[in-house]
Amino acid sequence: MDPKMDSGFLNSVQSVEHDYDVLRELLPEEVIGIMDQMLCFEEEDFVVSLYHRRLLDDFELADISTKIEDAVAYVTQESASMDHPYRDALLSRLKLRQMLLSAVQLDGIVDHQRAKLWEGCLELLPVLSETNKLGVLLENSFSIKIQRKLASCVPPRPIVKISIDEALSRLNGICQNGRDAYRILDSQDGTRLTSLVFCEMRVLGTRSLKQFLFDDFEELVLPADLLIDPANSDVEAPQDPRFQISKMMDAFVTKAADCFLNISRNLCMNRSRLRRVLCRNAVEWENLQFDAERIDTQLRKYTEEKPIKERSASNEELWSFPLSSWAYYYKLRQMEWIVQMGFELDIYQVDELAGMYWYLQHLASTRLQHLERIRTFSTHRLKRIGKPTLKQKTSFRRSFSFLDFATLEASATQSFAEGLSSTAPIKIETNDQASSILDFADQALRAAKKDWEVISKAKAETAQCVGCEDWWRISVKNVVRACITANIMIATSKKAMSKAASKDARDILKVEVVKSNELYHAWWMVPRISAKQPSAM
């Protein structure tokens, strides 16, 4: 058998079991090296199968915590015989493990304390990065023999090693997610992210699932509307229109609940799986939209809705279709995410980028038009009320605030996607054509930059990012940076073409596609365009 073909190959003098002596004495720098190396392995997926390995589940967390405390006490006592840099490095690593263990315990710690523990872990990670150079790696302390018992394929795959910087970056992301999760749970503003935790048809133990959806209906399509009036549930006379309205709205809530809550559930998945699930969800929302349209039609008999006359030669009657409009909005939103995540995951080929960004701007444009339609009917309903009460004014104000921000975000997405659809490599051809395309892209990208800068200044309540504001602002800031980069790229291209003697843009401009992990924002693949150097004669 060839060891090059089989990572699990053992020669005649090697044993299956690892022969490293775990009781041997170690220098402080060797302990640091082992502790850091433990962060740098990517093992098999233990979720599906443990491959007959035990994960120390017969040890109580309290016992492990006690051992860590004993180790801290020992290192502290040995301070006289140990250089301070090594002592501090060991203590920081022990403290990190102690905090991680406490943060994931199920009992004994309240939620606001967990958030502080995750925050403490984040504060220690830079210390680990700075002191990693003190560690010395013992090569024989880790062995690929364990893969013989873990690997789910034959021959067993070698252990994947990652750098300490990448390992700490991933651990940093885990700690940020842990911290932000408890910030979200502390939020009291009814943000959609609270749907991550619900049980027995109640969200966070405070609101019914029905009320949770009604709040969203009110914000998007039904401000101060009879359809979501809580008093409808108190009517018991079948002949009363409100009884029928309550009955039909309850039926729709039952149909829509899973689809709506799955949006937040699915965001917990890894990005590849999330995109696949979103593709399936789009079909479910399509079916929900058809059901909602049927219910909307039936509800007209009880709400006595009056249509809007279209100001055109056809004088067509337009109906609001509120529930169908609600479903259509979320379907469009998820379709945009599907396309955007395709850029993030590097799914598209180079010659597909222009077409996918054109499709993204088409989806954003469609969502923009749909939001204007929703606004038209909400404005019409407000005018019909005449003298709204304070409660009604508050409801409409909240709805229009949401529509304003959603419209701005859709416009920004459309403009940016439109600009990038014109700058993809496949579009750059003749000089005259390229100049025209670049002028069009420049106009779209300037509009996108303006919109995204306005978005970046929005309040957390307006952007509905309470509990994850830091992450949201960083993300939007990176989009603004991507816009600026795109504008600079356009200016560079125009300057190069104005000075060139050639009439073929392909002789003037060099276009490179940048990988998603090298971009300011993974959803916006701004190409790298530069002037070609004249060839040597």
Side-chain angles (χ1 to χ4, degrees):
M1 184 177 292
D2 188 350
K4 294 181 179 179
M5 300 297 293
D6 185 357
S7 60
F9 173 79
L10 298 176
N11 58 39
S12 58
V13 298
Q14 290 178 307
S15 64
V16 175
E17 297 298 328
H18 188 39
D19 54 5
Y20 176 75
D21 182 8
V22 296
L23 298 179
R24 60 171 290 190
E25 293 187 355
L26 297 172
L27 296 172
E29 54 266 34
E30 293 174 332
V31 177
I32 293 172
I34 291 176
M35 294 180 77
D36 286 352
Q37 188 63 26
M38 291 176 68
L39 301 174
C40 299
F41 281 101
E42 283 192 352
E43 299 292 355
E44 291 278 349
D45 186 358
F46 282 98
V47 175
V48 179
S49 175
L50 297 180
Y51 303 100
H52 305 292
R53 304 296 296 183
R54 301 189 65 181
L55 300 182
L56 305 180
D57 53 351
D58 52 343
F59 290 92
E60 297 292 335
L61 291 180
D63 296 334
I64 300 176
S65 181
T66 300
K67 287 297 182 182
I68 296 178
E69 292 173 0
D70 292 344
V72 170
Y74 175 78
V75 173
T76 305
Q77 293 171 1
E78 295 294 322
S79 59
S81 61
M82 189 184 306
D83 292 340
H84 287 293
Y86 294 102
R87 182 200 64 186
D88 294 341
L90 287 170
L91 289 175
S92 64
R93 282 157 175 78
L94 289 169
K95 188 175 181 181
L96 173 67
R97 283 156 173 80
Q98 194 170 36
M99 285 188 171
L100 285 172
L101 188 65
S102 298
V104 298
Q105 284 188 40
L106 297 179
D107 302 315
I109 299 178
V110 296
D111 289 344
H112 72 273
Q113 291 177 327
R114 294 182 192 275
K116 292 180 179 179
L117 288 169
W118 287 115
E119 192 70 47
C121 293
L122 288 170
E123 293 174 358
L124 285 172
L125 292 181
V127 179
L128 267 66
S129 179
E130 293 170 3
T131 57
N132 170 254
K133 59 186 178 182
L134 298 177
V136 175
L137 176 62
L138 297 178
E139 292 293 342
N140 62 341
S141 60
F142 293 88
S143 171
I144 65 171
K145 292 180 181 179
I146 190 68
Q147 290 292 83
R148 299 176 64 88
K149 300 181 180 180
L150 295 184
S152 56
C153 61
V154 178
R157 298 194 300 266
I159 294 178
V160 178
K161 295 182 180 180
I162 60 176
S163 67
I164 185 63
D165 290 336
E166 184 177 356
L168 292 177
S169 176
R170 295 184 183 185
L171 185 55
N172 185 80
I174 294 172
C175 294
Q176 286 182 347
N177 292 339
R179 177 200 62 188
D180 294 342
Y182 289 101
R183 287 183 178 179
I184 291 170
L185 295 180
D186 288 337
S187 174
Q188 300 297 324
D189 70 339
T191 176
R192 291 184 183 86
L193 292 176
T194 54
S195 62
L196 287 170
V197 182
F198 67 97
C199 181
E200 296 180 352
M201 301 301 285
R202 301 192 72 82
V203 179
L204 289 178
T206 58
R207 288 189 297 163
S208 68
L209 191 54
K210 175 182 176 180
Q211 188 58 48
F212 188 67
L213 265 74
F214 273 23
D215 288 348
D216 203 76
F217 296 159
E218 180 182 15
E219 184 178 56
L220 181 56
V221 293
L222 292 172
D225 195 273
L226 173 64
L227 293 179
I228 56 172
D229 188 347
N232 294 340
S233 300
D234 299 330
V235 178
E236 298 179 355
Q239 67 274 15
D240 193 313
R242 291 175 298 173
F243 177 86
Q244 299 298 330
I245 290 174
S246 178
K247 181 180 177 180
M248 297 175 71
M249 290 298 293
D250 286 348
F252 181 72
V253 166
T254 301
K255 289 178 177 291
D258 276 345
C259 287
F260 185 63
L261 293 175
N262 278 340
I263 295 177
S264 296
R265 282 198 195 106
N266 296 337
L267 291 177
C268 299
M269 300 177 179
N270 65 62
R271 309 301 278 178
S272 298
R273 180 174 296 173
L274 172 58
R275 188 177 185 275
R276 292 197 301 270
V277 170
L278 285 176
C279 291
R280 295 197 298 268
N281 287 355
V283 178
E284 295 178 2
W285 279 90
E286 177 86 5
N287 295 332
L288 180 63
Q289 181 187 342
F290 290 144
D291 290 338
E293 187 172 340
R294 174 181 54 80
I295 295 175
D296 281 329
T297 304
Q298 295 172 351
L299 283 169
R300 289 181 201 157
K301 180 172 63 175
Y302 305 106
T303 60
E304 299 181 353
E305 178 188 357
K306 303 298 181 183
I308 296 178
K309 298 287 186 178
E310 186 179 22
R311 295 180 180 178
S312 63
S314 62
N315 199 30
E316 182 181 358
E317 293 184 344
L318 301 178
W319 300 91
S320 62
F321 289 99
L323 301 181
S324 177
S325 295
W326 176 83
Y328 185 44
Y329 174 82
Y330 280 107
K331 182 184 74 173
L332 288 173
R333 200 72 185 91
Q334 291 174 88
M335 291 176 69
E336 288 181 48
W337 291 342
I338 292 170
V339 177
Q340 289 171 314
M341 291 184 68
F343 296 109
E344 178 182 349
L345 298 171
D346 293 319
I347 289 176
Y348 311 127
Q349 299 296 318
V350 173
D351 58 353
E352 296 175 324
L353 296 178
M356 294 312 299
Y357 272 119
W358 177 90
Y359 183 52
L360 177 59
Q361 73 83 26
H362 171 71
L363 290 173
S365 176
T366 303
R367 180 162 62 99
L368 188 61
Q369 295 171 10
H370 185 55
L371 287 167
E372 290 301 326
R373 184 183 186 278
I374 293 173
R375 185 194 301 275
T376 298
F377 281 97
S378 294
T379 304
H380 178 71
R381 188 163 57 254
L382 178 59
K383 290 180 179 178
R384 287 188 60 190
I385 293 176
K387 296 182 178 181
T389 64
L390 178 60
K391 183 178 180 180
Q392 289 173 325
K393 288 181 180 178
T394 302
S395 178
F396 275 100
R397 187 181 301 113
R398 176 169 172 258
S399 179
F400 286 139
S401 175
F402 173 83
L403 293 174
D404 289 343
F405 186 80
T407 299
L408 178 63
E409 191 274 332
S411 175
T413 300
Q414 178 196 9
S415 298
F416 204 172
E418 193 171 47
L420 292 183
S421 70
S422 305
T423 59
I426 195 65
K427 289 284 187 179
I428 306 298
E429 297 177 2
T430 66
N431 198 330
D432 292 338
Q433 182 184 7
S435 297
S436 177
I437 289 174
L438 290 175
D439 287 339
F440 177 80
D442 186 42
Q443 184 177 1
L445 292 171
R446 288 179 184 274
K449 177 177 174 290
K450 181 179 178 181
D451 286 344
W452 282 110
E453 286 178 339
V454 175
I455 291 173
S456 68
K457 299 175 184 177
K459 295 181 179 179
E461 293 77 10
T462 302
Q464 295 188 338
C465 62
V466 175
C468 56
E469 182 179 357
D470 294 344
W471 173 87
W472 180 82
R473 293 202 181 279
I474 291 173
S475 179
V476 174
K477 185 178 180 180
N478 287 336
V479 176
V480 174
R481 287 177 174 174
C483 287
I484 295 173
T485 303
N487 286 322
I488 294 175
M489 175 265 296
I490 293 293
T492 302
S493 303
K494 286 184 174 181
K495 183 177 180 181
M497 294 181 64
S498 65
K499 294 182 178 180
S502 173
K503 296 299 182 182
D504 193 333
R506 289 167 290 190
D507 296 335
I508 305 170
L509 302 177
K510 178 182 179 182
V511 183
E512 300 176 87
V513 177
V514 184
K515 290 292 184 180
S516 61
N517 60 352
E518 301 174 3
L519 300 168
Y520 281 118
H521 197 286
W523 287 3
W524 302 106
M525 302 189 71
V526 179
R528 187 179 293 122
I529 298 182
S530 58
K532 285 186 177 180
Q533 297 296 327
S535 57
M537 297 299 293

